Amino acid sequence: MAEADAVQVVVEEFDPQAKAGTKVKSEVSASLSIGGVDHKVSQQKDKNKAQRAKLKKQLRDAFTKEEAEDMEQTEDEKKARPEKLGIAKKFMMETACTTGDGKPKKLVGTGPKDLGEYGVGVQLYFEFLSDMGWLWVFLFLFTIPMLYYTLGGTILNDFPETKNQNFFYKGMALFTPANLGTCGSGAMDCLSQHQRETRKVFPGSDTLVSDVTPALGILDLVQMIIALGFIIWFRLYKIPAAVRIQDEANVTASDFAIRVGGLPRKLKQNHENYEPLLKHHFEKVLLECGQDENDDPERPNVAEVALIREYDGCISTFLQQGNLLEEMYEASIGARLAKSDGKAEKQQKLEKKREKLKKQFYKLDETIKEQTDMKDSEREVCGAFVMFQTEQMKDLVLSAYKPFTNSWTSRLVQPKHLRFQDWRLRVSQTCEPEELYWENMDYSWLLHKCRKFCTLTVSFFIVVFCIFILTWLRSSSAAVNTSSMPFDLWIFEEAGQARSLDASGPAPCMELCQLDVFFDDRCEVVESPMNYMNLIFDTDFIWNASTDTSAHLLQDNNAECHPSDPFYQSPSCTQNQSARVAYVFKEPSPVLCIKVANRKGPSGQKPAPMRIYGCPSNTLVSNSSGFFDQQGERWDRETYCVRFDDAILEGYDSPQPVKLRSDCLFPITLEAAQRAKDLGESFMTSPRLSCFCVQQANKEPRIRFPGLVETPEAEMCRDWAWYQGTQMGIRAGGVIAVMVINNVLLLIFAYFDSLGRYQTATDLASSQVFNLFFATLVNTAIVYNLIGMNVYTSSNTFFGSLRFGQGPFDDLTPLWFVTIGNMLVVTIVCQIGCSVALPVLWIWTVDPLLRWMFTKDIHSQELLNEYHVFPEWTLSLRVAETLVVVFCVFMYSSGYPFLYLCGAIYCLLAYWGDKYTLLRGSRRPPGYTKSAIESAVIMMPVAILLHSVFALWLFGNQELMPSAWGGLKGFAESIINMAYSYSEIMGVVAQGGFDVRGSNYGSYLEARMVDCARTAAEPILWLFFAQLLYYALVILHSIFRPCLGNRVPEAMDWTLKALKITRDARAEKTTLAEAKAQEEKGLLSYRMDMNPNYEEATMALNFNPEDMGASPPSERQVVKASTGMSLHKLEEQFERNAAVKLHEAENYVASALDRFRVFGKSSGSSKTKEEVKTPTGETTPTSRQVV
C-alpha cells in the first residue's frame, strides 16, 4: 500500500470526524491511489508505514495543542540523545553507498560496473575517467619526437629576453616549441627574418627546423584523429553497451513507460474520466500496431496512467507545509525538554517559534485555498505517464509516434488513430520516477523557457564580469612601447657586429651611396630632404640643406652606386675615428623606416649592420675634435640618446623599420635612466627605465626588495621594485582567485539552475554540465590568453580602460610561452588539484562540522535522521569539472605536450578521489542516467576544434615553427584577399615597432591566417575544414529534419541492435506485473504518492487541522481583498488559449495538406481497410480513418 494511503488510514484511526466522512482538504491522494499496487507489501514497507503513522499522530498533537506541555510524551523525549544519535548514524549508513548489511563498500575491488548499481551514469563516468587516462598516455607517446627536438634546442638561452627569465618558468618552456632550434650565442644566427626561418634544429646539426616541423604537424593530426576515434567509440559503443548491460541486469520503471505531451488540458466531455479515456486510447494504438488484446484484468496491456495535473504550483507549497509541520514538532519537543530542565527562557523562545511556524502554515494555506478545495478530477491536465505491461509494447508505441513527434511540421501529418480526442500527441521515452520534480511538472512551458533564458543571460553577464575582473587584476604587465620616438638628431653608425654591446675599438670604414630616412612604416612616402633636413654632419664635414641645395649627399632617393657617382665616406676610412653620420632635422620627428645602399658593391649587396640613435640636438656641440655636451665634456650618447634596435639590412630594396628593443639587451646608465625619468617616462612601458632596473637587479638581487639597499640605483628603482612585487603577488593571487571564483560560480550556477524549474533530474543535470563547464573553462583556459593578448585597443575605449586587449603579446613568441603560457598551465594544474582535493576535504572537515552545528539542539529523531544524511554526490558537477580538464588539455596540447601527462594524472586522482567521496561520504545517488556523460562526450569534438585553431596558429608561426608553403597557399590567399603582399607585411609590419604593428595589425592577422597553408599546419587545416563541414551538416540536418524524417536515427538504431550493442526489447520477457512482485526492483510507479521524495507533500495534502478539531488563529479569518489576476495566471491563461489556437491551426493546415496530397479523392476523411501484421505474421483487417 502506498504511504499516502497509510497516512490517510492514520487520520481515520485517530480522528472520529474523518471516519464519519468529513470532507478532507484535498482529494489528491485519493485520485493518485487509483489502481494501487497489488503486489505483496514487504516488512520494510510495513515498518515505514508504522513510522509514518506514528509521526502523523505526533504532528497532529504538535499542531492542535495550545501549549507544548499538553502533548503526550513522545518516544523522542524518552530516548537519550546518544541513543538517538546512534539511530541517526545508522540511518546515515542505510542511505549511503553501503552493502546490504550497512557496511561501507571496499574501495579496492569495487569497479565501475559495481558502481553501476547507482545508475548507469555513475558507471560511465568512472569508465570515462579510466579510458580517458589511458588515451592521454597513448597520445603522449606521439609527442616524444616534439619533446626530443625542443629539449635539444637552445632558443631560450640564445635570446636575451628569455635567457634571464625565472628558472622554473623557463624550465617548463623547454618542453614547448618555444625552444625549437638554435640561433647561436646572443642569437647572432637569427638576426633577420630569413635567418630565423632557416635556423638549425640542433647546434652543429645540418638539419633545419623547417625540415622537421611538417612531420610534427602530421603527428599532431594523428593525435587528433585518434582522439576523435575515441569520442566516436565511446559515444556509439561504450555508452549504448553500458546501458544495455544495465537494462539486462535491472528492471526499472522507465523500461515500460512513456511520457505523453500535447494533451488537451480540459476535455469538453467526460473530463472526470480523463485517465480511463487515455488508457483506452493507447490500448487502441497497441491494437493498430499489431499487439494482441489482453483480457486478463490483472495484467492489462496499459498497466498504469499517471496524469500530470495542474496544481498551479501548490506542490512546492505542500512541501513547505510538510517541512513546517516537522519544525513545529521539533519546537514542541524542545520546549517540553527545556521546561523539564528548568530553562524558562529557552522554553518561551521555542513556544514563540512554534506559534510563528503555525502562522506560516496558515499563511501558506491561504495561498493555495482555491487549489485545495478543488477535486483532482476537476483539475486540468498538463501531461501524462503511461506504463505498459511489457517493454515491447512500449517500443511499439514509440515507433508508431516517432515519425510524427519530432517537430510541429511532422505532427501535422500525424494519423488520426494516433491522436487523442483529435489532439496531436508528443510521445517520448521518459526517465525514472525518482528523477521527477513534481513541483515543476505543472509549471508553464513558456515561463520555464523565460526563466531559462533569464538565468542563462544573467549567468553569461556574470562570466563576462569575472573575465573583466580577472583580466584587470591579473594583467601582469602592459606591452612595452617599442615605437620610434621623435628626435631632431639621428645618428647612424656602421657596426662590425650587429647588437654588439661594446662600441669601442677600430671603427669600420663606412662608404654609402644612399641612406634615406622615411616617416612612414613602409618606406613609400618620398619627401624632399629640403623640407625637413637642416644639417648632415660628422667630424669632417657639415652639409647645410638650406644653403647648399645642389650637393648630392645621400638624400636624393637614388640608389645607384656606380664608381663615378658621388658617395659618402666616413672619417674612419682615413683615420681612427668613428664611422657615424648625424642627421639634424628642423623639428623632432620619428623615423619609422630607413633604406641603405652600400658603395662596396651593386645596390643589391647586403650592407653592414647599422646602429641607430635618437637624441635631442640641444645636448650636442660638434667640432673638428669630436662631439661635446653643453658643458664642454665629452658627449656620451649612452646618456643623452636612445639606442634603437640595430638595422639588419638586406639591401636597398629591403627597407628596415626603426624600433626600440624590449629585451634589455643594451646597457642603460644611471644618468640615462635619470634623464628618462626627468622626461616623464614610465617604468612600466619605457624600455630605458625598466631595462635599467632589470639590469641592476641582475647585478644586485636585493634591489628587488625596497629598502634593503641604499644606493642611487636602488633609489631610482624603488617604484619599479614595488610594482614588480605587486605584480608577482597579483599573478600568484590570480591563480587563487581563479580557484575561488570557479567554486563560487559553481554555487551561483547551481542556484540559477534550480530557478529554471526543470521537470526532471536529467534535464537539470544536462543544464548544469554545460553552465558549470562553460564558466569554469572560461576562467581557467581562456582568461590568461585574454590577459596576454594585445589587439592594440585604445585606453580611451571601454575595453581599453579595463586593460582588455592591452597585453604584452600580439602573437605567440618564446617569451609568451615563458610567461603567459606557463601561468596558463599553472592555472590548469591548480584547477586539476582543486577539483580533486576539495570534495575529499569537504567530507573530512566541512560536512562533519556542519552536521555538528545544525544538530546540537535537535531532539526530533526525524530531523536528526535528515541532518545525518550524507551530502549528495553530484554527477553533473564532476562531469563538468572533468570536461574542463579535457578541454584544457586538448586545446593547448600542441604547444604543451606534457599536458597529456597532467590529464592522465588527473584521471588517476579523480578516479580514486571520486570513488572515495562516493563510497565514504555521499548519500546513495538517485540513479543517474547516461545524459550527463553523454552531453560531455557530445561537446568533446568542440575541444578538438579549439585544438585545431591553436595548432594552426602555432604551426603557422614562422618565428617558432618555420616551414615551406603548402599546396593550399593559393586557396588561402584567395579567401583572405590581403591588401598588401605577404612579404611586404612580414618584412615591414611584423618587424616594426609598437605603433607600426598597431596601425597595421589587421594586415598582420591576414598574413598570419595565410600562414595556415604552410606544410607544418596544412594537415591540421584539413582537419579543421572537416570539422567545419561536420558542424555545417549538423546544423542543416537540424533545420531540415522534418523533411528527412527519422531515417538516419532509425538506421543507426538498427545497426546498433544488429551488432548487439544495444538491447532489443523483444528479448526482454519480464512483465511489469512480475517486476512489481519482486520487492528489490524499486519504485515501479509514476504516481506522486508512491515517490518517497514527496512524503512531505503527501503528508501536507492529507493534513487538515480543522478536521482534527483545531481552531484556526484570528489571522486566518482575515482574507485579503482580491487584487486581480496575477501575472502568472495571465501567462497560464495565455498559454491555454495559445494551445487551443495551435490545435485549431494544426487541424486547418493538416486538412489543407490532405486536399493537395490525395489526388483524385475528395477532401475529408474516408474509411479504408488496412491490414496490420501481428507478431505471429498473420494479417488482420482494421478500419482506420485516413486524413
PDB file of all heavy atoms in Angstrom, residues 477-495:
ATOM      1  N   SER A 477      51.588  42.800 -16.948  1.00  0.00           N
ATOM      2  CA  SER A 477      52.367  43.920 -17.494  1.00  0.00           C
ATOM      3  C   SER A 477      51.734  44.372 -18.786  1.00  0.00           C
ATOM      4  O   SER A 477      51.108  43.593 -19.498  1.00  0.00           O
ATOM      5  CB  SER A 477      53.820  43.493 -17.751  1.00  0.00           C
ATOM      6  OG  SER A 477      53.873  42.433 -18.681  1.00  0.00           O
ATOM      7  N   ALA A 478      51.880  45.652 -19.047  1.00  0.00           N
ATOM      8  CA  ALA A 478      51.406  46.198 -20.306  1.00  0.00           C
ATOM      9  C   ALA A 478      52.469  45.978 -21.368  1.00  0.00           C
ATOM     10  O   ALA A 478      53.626  45.678 -21.080  1.00  0.00           O
ATOM     11  CB  ALA A 478      51.086  47.680 -20.143  1.00  0.00           C
ATOM     12  N   ALA A 479      52.068  46.128 -22.598  1.00  0.00           N
ATOM     13  CA  ALA A 479      53.018  45.964 -23.693  1.00  0.00           C
ATOM     14  C   ALA A 479      54.047  47.082 -23.661  1.00  0.00           C
ATOM     15  O   ALA A 479      53.719  48.262 -23.500  1.00  0.00           O
ATOM     16  CB  ALA A 479      52.281  45.968 -25.028  1.00  0.00           C
ATOM     17  N   VAL A 480      55.309  46.704 -23.771  1.00  0.00           N
ATOM     18  CA  VAL A 480      56.373  47.700 -23.813  1.00  0.00           C
ATOM     19  C   VAL A 480      56.282  48.459 -25.130  1.00  0.00           C
ATOM     20  O   VAL A 480      56.179  47.860 -26.197  1.00  0.00           O
ATOM     21  CB  VAL A 480      57.747  47.026 -23.658  1.00  0.00           C
ATOM     22  CG1 VAL A 480      58.859  48.047 -23.790  1.00  0.00           C
ATOM     23  CG2 VAL A 480      57.828  46.315 -22.322  1.00  0.00           C
ATOM     24  N   ASN A 481      56.322  49.773 -25.028  1.00  0.00           N
ATOM     25  CA  ASN A 481      56.170  50.601 -26.218  1.00  0.00           C
ATOM     26  C   ASN A 481      57.494  50.634 -26.970  1.00  0.00           C
ATOM     27  O   ASN A 481      58.449  51.306 -26.566  1.00  0.00           O
ATOM     28  CB  ASN A 481      55.747  52.010 -25.810  1.00  0.00           C
ATOM     29  CG  ASN A 481      55.295  52.826 -26.996  1.00  0.00           C
ATOM     30  OD1 ASN A 481      55.533  52.468 -28.144  1.00  0.00           O
ATOM     31  ND2 ASN A 481      54.640  53.944 -26.725  1.00  0.00           N
ATOM     32  N   THR A 482      57.564  49.907 -28.060  1.00  0.00           N
ATOM     33  CA  THR A 482      58.782  49.850 -28.876  1.00  0.00           C
ATOM     34  C   THR A 482      58.710  50.779 -30.077  1.00  0.00           C
ATOM     35  O   THR A 482      59.488  50.638 -31.022  1.00  0.00           O
ATOM     36  CB  THR A 482      59.023  48.417 -29.358  1.00  0.00           C
ATOM     37  OG1 THR A 482      57.890  47.983 -30.122  1.00  0.00           O
ATOM     38  CG2 THR A 482      59.218  47.467 -28.191  1.00  0.00           C
ATOM     39  N   SER A 483      57.792  51.733 -30.048  1.00  0.00           N
ATOM     40  CA  SER A 483      57.638  52.638 -31.183  1.00  0.00           C
ATOM     41  C   SER A 483      58.835  53.576 -31.294  1.00  0.00           C
ATOM     42  O   SER A 483      59.516  53.872 -30.308  1.00  0.00           O
ATOM     43  CB  SER A 483      56.360  53.459 -31.031  1.00  0.00           C
ATOM     44  OG  SER A 483      55.239  52.633 -30.833  1.00  0.00           O
ATOM     45  N   SER A 484      59.033  54.032 -32.494  1.00  0.00           N
ATOM     46  CA  SER A 484      60.052  55.059 -32.706  1.00  0.00           C
ATOM     47  C   SER A 484      59.645  56.348 -32.005  1.00  0.00           C
ATOM     48  O   SER A 484      58.443  56.609 -31.812  1.00  0.00           O
ATOM     49  CB  SER A 484      60.235  55.315 -34.200  1.00  0.00           C
ATOM     50  OG  SER A 484      61.213  56.309 -34.416  1.00  0.00           O
ATOM     51  N   MET A 485      60.624  57.128 -31.575  1.00  0.00           N
ATOM     52  CA  MET A 485      60.363  58.342 -30.809  1.00  0.00           C
ATOM     53  C   MET A 485      60.802  59.567 -31.610  1.00  0.00           C
ATOM     54  O   MET A 485      61.718  59.483 -32.443  1.00  0.00           O
ATOM     55  CB  MET A 485      61.101  58.289 -29.468  1.00  0.00           C
ATOM     56  CG  MET A 485      60.748  57.056 -28.631  1.00  0.00           C
ATOM     57  SD  MET A 485      61.798  56.843 -27.179  1.00  0.00           S
ATOM     58  CE  MET A 485      61.374  58.307 -26.243  1.00  0.00           C
ATOM     59  N   PRO A 486      60.167  60.713 -31.376  1.00  0.00           N
ATOM     60  CA  PRO A 486      60.539  61.925 -32.133  1.00  0.00           C
ATOM     61  C   PRO A 486      61.820  62.576 -31.589  1.00  0.00           C
ATOM     62  O   PRO A 486      61.894  62.946 -30.419  1.00  0.00           O
ATOM     63  CB  PRO A 486      59.322  62.835 -31.939  1.00  0.00           C
ATOM     64  CG  PRO A 486      58.705  62.387 -30.644  1.00  0.00           C
ATOM     65  CD  PRO A 486      58.987  60.924 -30.532  1.00  0.00           C
ATOM     66  N   PHE A 487      62.816  62.662 -32.426  1.00  0.00           N
ATOM     67  CA  PHE A 487      64.066  63.356 -32.115  1.00  0.00           C
ATOM     68  C   PHE A 487      64.440  64.223 -33.305  1.00  0.00           C
ATOM     69  O   PHE A 487      64.061  63.934 -34.451  1.00  0.00           O
ATOM     70  CB  PHE A 487      65.196  62.363 -31.811  1.00  0.00           C
ATOM     71  CG  PHE A 487      65.015  61.602 -30.516  1.00  0.00           C
ATOM     72  CD1 PHE A 487      64.624  60.278 -30.521  1.00  0.00           C
ATOM     73  CD2 PHE A 487      65.258  62.215 -29.299  1.00  0.00           C
ATOM     74  CE1 PHE A 487      64.460  59.580 -29.349  1.00  0.00           C
ATOM     75  CE2 PHE A 487      65.091  61.516 -28.116  1.00  0.00           C
ATOM     76  CZ  PHE A 487      64.692  60.196 -28.132  1.00  0.00           C
ATOM     77  N   ASP A 488      65.201  65.261 -33.027  1.00  0.00           N
ATOM     78  CA  ASP A 488      65.681  66.092 -34.142  1.00  0.00           C
ATOM     79  C   ASP A 488      67.122  65.789 -34.504  1.00  0.00           C
ATOM     80  O   ASP A 488      67.662  66.375 -35.448  1.00  0.00           O
ATOM     81  CB  ASP A 488      65.526  67.579 -33.814  1.00  0.00           C
ATOM     82  CG  ASP A 488      66.253  67.974 -32.532  1.00  0.00           C
ATOM     83  OD1 ASP A 488      66.784  67.075 -31.856  1.00  0.00           O
ATOM     84  OD2 ASP A 488      66.279  69.175 -32.208  1.00  0.00           O
ATOM     85  N   LEU A 489      67.772  64.885 -33.757  1.00  0.00           N
ATOM     86  CA  LEU A 489      69.118  64.442 -34.075  1.00  0.00           C
ATOM     87  C   LEU A 489      69.126  62.924 -34.155  1.00  0.00           C
ATOM     88  O   LEU A 489      68.829  62.246 -33.185  1.00  0.00           O
ATOM     89  CB  LEU A 489      70.110  64.917 -33.012  1.00  0.00           C
ATOM     90  CG  LEU A 489      71.550  64.381 -33.131  1.00  0.00           C
ATOM     91  CD1 LEU A 489      72.179  64.799 -34.466  1.00  0.00           C
ATOM     92  CD2 LEU A 489      72.410  64.854 -31.966  1.00  0.00           C
ATOM     93  N   TRP A 490      69.489  62.429 -35.342  1.00  0.00           N
ATOM     94  CA  TRP A 490      69.565  60.986 -35.560  1.00  0.00           C
ATOM     95  C   TRP A 490      70.964  60.628 -35.995  1.00  0.00           C
ATOM     96  O   TRP A 490      71.509  61.236 -36.912  1.00  0.00           O
ATOM     97  CB  TRP A 490      68.556  60.560 -36.631  1.00  0.00           C
ATOM     98  CG  TRP A 490      67.138  60.645 -36.155  1.00  0.00           C
ATOM     99  CD1 TRP A 490      66.359  61.744 -36.136  1.00  0.00           C
ATOM    100  CD2 TRP A 490      66.372  59.579 -35.601  1.00  0.00           C
ATOM    101  NE1 TRP A 490      65.133  61.465 -35.613  1.00  0.00           N
ATOM    102  CE2 TRP A 490      65.104  60.110 -35.280  1.00  0.00           C
ATOM    103  CE3 TRP A 490      66.595  58.226 -35.366  1.00  0.00           C
ATOM    104  CZ2 TRP A 490      64.085  59.359 -34.721  1.00  0.00           C
ATOM    105  CZ3 TRP A 490      65.592  57.474 -34.814  1.00  0.00           C
ATOM    106  CH2 TRP A 490      64.340  58.027 -34.489  1.00  0.00           C
ATOM    107  N   ILE A 491      71.551  59.631 -35.303  1.00  0.00           N
ATOM    108  CA  ILE A 491      72.922  59.201 -35.584  1.00  0.00           C
ATOM    109  C   ILE A 491      72.879  57.783 -36.126  1.00  0.00           C
ATOM    110  O   ILE A 491      72.266  56.897 -35.533  1.00  0.00           O
ATOM    111  CB  ILE A 491      73.792  59.273 -34.310  1.00  0.00           C
ATOM    112  CG1 ILE A 491      73.853  60.715 -33.791  1.00  0.00           C
ATOM    113  CG2 ILE A 491      75.187  58.739 -34.581  1.00  0.00           C
ATOM    114  CD1 ILE A 491      74.605  60.847 -32.481  1.00  0.00           C
ATOM    115  N   PHE A 492      73.540  57.585 -37.253  1.00  0.00           N
ATOM    116  CA  PHE A 492      73.631  56.276 -37.892  1.00  0.00           C
ATOM    117  C   PHE A 492      75.088  55.863 -37.907  1.00  0.00           C
ATOM    118  O   PHE A 492      75.934  56.593 -38.428  1.00  0.00           O
ATOM    119  CB  PHE A 492      73.072  56.329 -39.303  1.00  0.00           C
ATOM    120  CG  PHE A 492      71.644  56.810 -39.364  1.00  0.00           C
ATOM    121  CD1 PHE A 492      71.374  58.157 -39.579  1.00  0.00           C
ATOM    122  CD2 PHE A 492      70.592  55.942 -39.181  1.00  0.00           C
ATOM    123  CE1 PHE A 492      70.072  58.617 -39.620  1.00  0.00           C
ATOM    124  CE2 PHE A 492      69.283  56.396 -39.230  1.00  0.00           C
ATOM    125  CZ  PHE A 492      69.018  57.732 -39.438  1.00  0.00           C
ATOM    126  N   GLU A 493      75.367  54.691 -37.357  1.00  0.00           N
ATOM    127  CA  GLU A 493      76.749  54.249 -37.180  1.00  0.00           C
ATOM    128  C   GLU A 493      76.884  52.812 -37.651  1.00  0.00           C
ATOM    129  O   GLU A 493      76.105  51.934 -37.245  1.00  0.00           O
ATOM    130  CB  GLU A 493      77.136  54.368 -35.705  1.00  0.00           C
ATOM    131  CG  GLU A 493      78.565  53.927 -35.419  1.00  0.00           C
ATOM    132  CD  GLU A 493      78.898  54.055 -33.945  1.00  0.00           C
ATOM    133  OE1 GLU A 493      78.067  53.632 -33.111  1.00  0.00           O
ATOM    134  OE2 GLU A 493      79.963  54.577 -33.626  1.00  0.00           O
ATOM    135  N   GLU A 494      77.830  52.593 -38.532  1.00  0.00           N
ATOM    136  CA  GLU A 494      78.060  51.237 -39.018  1.00  0.00           C
ATOM    137  C   GLU A 494      78.737  50.421 -37.938  1.00  0.00           C
ATOM    138  O   GLU A 494      79.674  50.875 -37.275  1.00  0.00           O
ATOM    139  CB  GLU A 494      78.904  51.253 -40.283  1.00  0.00           C
ATOM    140  CG  GLU A 494      79.021  49.877 -40.942  1.00  0.00           C
ATOM    141  CD  GLU A 494      79.636  49.958 -42.315  1.00  0.00           C
ATOM    142  OE1 GLU A 494      79.126  50.730 -43.148  1.00  0.00           O
ATOM    143  OE2 GLU A 494      80.621  49.251 -42.549  1.00  0.00           O
ATOM    144  N   ALA A 495      78.251  49.174 -37.735  1.00  0.00           N
ATOM    145  CA  ALA A 495      78.774  48.288 -36.694  1.00  0.00           C
ATOM    146  C   ALA A 495      79.420  47.080 -37.346  1.00  0.00           C
ATOM    147  O   ALA A 495      78.907  46.526 -38.317  1.00  0.00           O
ATOM    148  CB  ALA A 495      77.662  47.848 -35.761  1.00  0.00           C
TER     149      ALA A 495
END
